[in-house]
Amino acid sequence: MNHFLYAPYRCRECKHRFFKLSRPLKLSITATLGLFTCVGVFVTIYLLSKPGPSTTPPPISQGIKPSRTIVLEKAKQGKADDQYAAGLMYMPGGDFSINYKEAHKWFDLAAKQGHAGAEFNLGLLYRNGRGVLQDFTAAAQWIEKAAHQGYPEAQHQLATFYKTGEGIQRDLTQAYVWYNLASAHGYEPSIAGRNNVANLMNAAEVLRAQTLSRHLKLTLPTHGEGKSHTANVENLIKRDIPDRSATHLPQKDNSFKDNASD
């Protein structure tokens, strides 16, 4: 007869009864010991990783960290990269509390020195009206400067301005051009934007925009040349590519008419 906790046995010779642990009891004891072992290991790890009273770091003061102070001091010296970094510290995700006015101040100083990142962020502040009065025209102007320096995010935003006519005259060809340039830099959102604009254009317009983007990519101006270079590139495209929107009718051959009259 077998029981859950033990199994009685009797010797065949001396008839002595003895007990032996059953198999379910062995398994339960093994599982219990394993559980206590795991709990002990986790408790030991927790106690070892918990810092003691002597290793507790001092509370962080409410003042500015030395690294932040260094960034601001460098920004005050007038270097564009440091001013741009100072502006980012006041933006969401920066080390300081969000302060768009301070960010605008540092971005404006760096943008006036031709810093592409500062120009782009300054344009976004004007577009969203944060830290400054909302001004779509100023936003388009600053973002266009950054786009001409090869800044992919600015090129994408400039294409969006051309597509919607926000702060700039609506031009689907230019929107395709700048979406195409941003896509060439690996900016993924511009691919969907370019395809969306292409659906609103005819084949001749898409061909002209693709050619214009190729010329503009090869001769992308440095900061300071502005729109004049873009206008020159457009004139070059107009000269190289005939206007396919117009219908070119073949000239009539009047020789047959003349012979008939003769």
Side-chain angles (χ1 to χ4, degrees):
M1 184 169 57
N2 294 325
H3 299 277
F4 178 73
L5 296 179
Y6 57 88
Y9 292 88
R10 187 183 297 274
C11 181
R12 293 180 180 179
E13 296 181 357
C14 64
K15 308 298 180 181
H16 178 72
R17 176 176 292 184
F18 61 93
F19 298 90
K20 184 179 179 182
L21 295 178
S22 63
R23 189 172 184 180
L25 182 59
K26 291 180 180 179
L27 294 177
S28 61
I29 293 176
T30 303
T32 303
L33 292 177
L35 178 62
F36 278 109
T37 302
C38 293
V39 173
V41 170
F42 283 114
V43 171
T44 303
I45 294 175
Y46 171 75
L47 293 177
L48 292 177
S49 61
K50 185 178 180 180
S54 58
T55 59
T56 303
I60 299 175
S61 61
Q62 299 297 328
I64 299 176
K65 293 181 180 180
S67 59
R68 302 177 184 178
T69 306
I70 292 174
V71 172
L72 292 179
E73 290 297 329
K74 287 185 177 180
K76 293 178 181 178
Q77 296 177 4
K79 191 175 180 180
D81 291 336
D82 296 328
Q83 292 172 345
Y84 173 64
L88 291 178
M89 295 177 71
Y90 289 101
M91 295 290 286
D95 293 337
F96 293 132
S97 59
I98 298 175
N99 190 334
Y100 292 110
K101 289 185 177 181
E102 286 293 320
H104 174 269
K105 180 184 73 174
W106 292 113
F107 286 149
D108 183 70
L109 292 174
K112 290 178 179 178
Q113 298 186 55
H115 193 284
E119 291 171 347
F120 173 67
N121 282 275
L122 184 61
L124 293 182
L125 290 180
Y126 275 109
R127 179 184 181 275
N128 299 322
R130 293 183 173 181
V132 68
L133 292 176
Q134 191 176 42
D135 189 341
F136 292 144
T137 303
Q141 291 174 352
W142 283 113
I143 289 177
E144 185 176 13
K145 291 182 179 181
H148 278 283
Q149 296 195 61
Y151 204 81
E153 292 85 350
Q155 292 174 345
H156 176 83
Q157 187 60 52
L158 180 61
T160 303
F161 284 161
Y162 275 115
K163 177 184 175 182
T164 60
E166 190 178 67
I168 200 169
Q169 186 177 359
R170 190 170 186 264
D171 190 338
L172 294 181
T173 301
Q174 287 294 328
Y176 187 98
V177 167
W178 290 107
Y179 277 138
N180 203 18
L181 289 173
S183 301
H185 286 93
Y187 194 68
E188 293 295 332
S190 295
I191 298 176
R194 179 187 59 192
N195 296 336
N196 188 13
V197 171
N199 293 331
L200 304 176
M201 304 167 62
N202 57 42
E205 291 173 340
V206 172
L207 177 61
R208 178 178 179 276
Q210 290 176 351
T211 307
L212 179 61
S213 61
R214 284 196 298 269
H215 281 262
L216 192 59
K217 180 177 175 58
L218 294 174
T219 59
L220 198 64
T222 57
H223 180 68
E225 295 184 18
K227 295 183 179 179
S228 60
H229 185 85
T230 306
N232 294 333
V233 173
E234 291 182 351
N235 294 331
L236 178 63
I237 300 305
K238 292 179 180 179
R239 187 188 64 185
D240 294 342
I241 299 179
D243 187 5
R244 301 191 179 185
S245 61
T247 304
H248 298 281
L249 297 176
Q251 295 181 357
K252 294 183 179 180
D253 188 2
N254 296 325
S255 59
F256 178 78
K257 183 177 179 181
D258 298 337
N259 295 331
S261 62
D262 293 342

